[in-house]
Amino acid sequence: GGAPFDSLIAPPNMFYVNNKPYAKLGVIGRGGSCKVYRVLSPTYQVLALKKVKIEGMDKKSIDSYANEIELLKGLKGNPAIIQLEDSEVDLER
């Protein structure tokens, strides 16, 4: 590997969702408690990864994000909707 590739897969540049690695390519957007990143998947797909910080968030807000995940799971396969590839809730981070 070369320097650019090595830095792409360096630990500080990686996200893990259900133990699957995603390399951070850049930030697409940000909101109050979340950031959306452009990432490279293990299958070399460029995807969006939404990372939500739930620390300090009230139950209603947490429930709202959980509901968003469930709605997207239910709409899987609908060509008019952004597809949810995976999701994970990690209360330890």
Side-chain angles (χ1 to χ4, degrees):
F5 182 77
D6 290 345
S7 65
L8 179 67
I9 60 168
N13 201 51
M14 299 299 292
F15 288 115
Y16 292 86
V17 178
N18 295 317
N19 296 318
K20 281 194 281 183
Y22 294 88
K24 193 184 323 175
L25 300 177
V27 176
I28 297 171
R30 63 185 77 215
S33 59
C34 65
K35 278 188 182 176
V36 178
Y37 296 91
R38 179 179 293 114
V39 297
L40 186 64
S41 78
T43 57
Y44 307 106
Q45 292 178 284
V46 175
L47 303 170
L49 185 144
K50 182 176 186 177
K51 185 173 184 177
V52 180
K53 286 200 184 292
I54 58 175
E55 184 181 344
M57 206 180 268
D58 62 25
K59 184 178 180 341
K60 184 177 180 189
S61 298
I62 294 170
D63 289 347
S64 175
Y65 282 113
N67 188 48
E68 178 184 353
I69 291 168
E70 289 309 308
L71 281 171
L72 287 170
K73 283 179 181 176
L75 293 167
K76 199 160 180 73
N78 182 325
I81 303 293
I82 292 173
Q83 296 299 293
L84 177 68
E85 188 77 22
D86 202 352
S87 65
E88 176 183 21
V89 176
D90 185 347
L91 300 174
E92 300 298 310
R93 286 190 279 185

